[in-house]
Amino acid sequence: MKKSLWLLILPFLFISCAKDYYTSYKSASDGKEYGSLIVKFSNPIKNVNITVDGNLIAEDKFTERVQVDNMPTGQHEIKVIASSWELKNDVNKVEEMDIKPNDKQTMLVQVPPKSTGYWIYQAVTFSVIFSTSYYLY
């Protein structure tokens, strides 16, 4: 009984959770106006890379939300890229954002659905765990 319980619990120990990512574009200087940028994904996503005006802000993050503080006011080109075997398509979004002083601007990014390979992997994993626990009784 204890072995089968561990076989059911063990896979959950290797699952990691998406974490919000916070960073600062540059250190705040007196006399300058700054705002914040929030990149919000429709679902948690792996391997997220974000650039602002060609400067790398986030690299290979597993997240559902990225907040960049101390962004100078004005127009900025935001590029969001994410690719994973779990997704049907890669994410590749470029958008011009106007950062306003002492305000938070939000960029919404739609995450594509899971790929067929992902669902096959999940079915095989569940079948192996279920059959192993069944035969231990």
Side-chain angles (χ1 to χ4, degrees):
M1 177 68 176
K2 286 184 180 182
K3 286 183 182 181
S4 62
L5 185 62
W6 275 108
L7 286 174
L8 292 174
I9 294 173
L10 190 61
F12 292 106
L13 297 176
F14 296 103
I15 297 173
S16 61
C17 297
K19 295 181 174 91
D20 291 348
Y21 181 68
Y22 298 90
T23 188
S24 182
Y25 187 72
K26 47 170 57 175
S27 58
S29 301
D30 290 334
K32 293 195 176 189
E33 294 183 326
Y34 295 96
S36 295
L37 168 71
I38 297 172
V39 179
K40 179 83 172 107
F41 297 94
S42 59
N43 290 313
I45 186 170
K46 295 179 182 179
N47 301 327
V48 171
N49 297 291
I50 300 175
T51 62
V52 175
D53 298 327
N55 298 312
L56 187 63
I57 298 299
E59 182 178 18
D60 295 332
K61 299 296 177 192
F62 178 30
T63 187
E64 192 171 8
R65 182 180 188 273
V66 174
Q67 181 169 330
V68 184
D69 293 322
N70 295 329
M71 292 268 305
T73 57
Q75 291 279 48
H76 296 279
E77 181 186 70
I78 314 301
K79 187 176 215 179
V80 179
I81 299 171
S83 62
S84 173
W85 67 272
E86 295 179 354
L87 300 176
K88 198 174 254 188
N89 302 317
D90 294 341
V91 173
N92 190 358
K93 183 172 184 176
V94 178
E95 191 172 317
E96 287 284 327
M97 298 291 293
D98 185 25
I99 304 299
K100 299 190 180 348
N102 301 317
D103 198 13
K104 294 180 180 178
Q105 301 299 317
T106 303
M107 177 180 177
L108 301 174
V109 179
Q110 182 67 35
V111 176
K114 301 289 186 184
S115 68
T116 305
Y118 171 81
W119 292 114
I120 292 171
Y121 174 79
Q122 292 295 325
V124 169
T125 302
F126 177 75
S127 298
V128 168
I129 292 171
F130 180 75
S131 63
T132 305
S133 64
Y134 178 77
Y135 286 115
L136 288 177
Y137 285 122

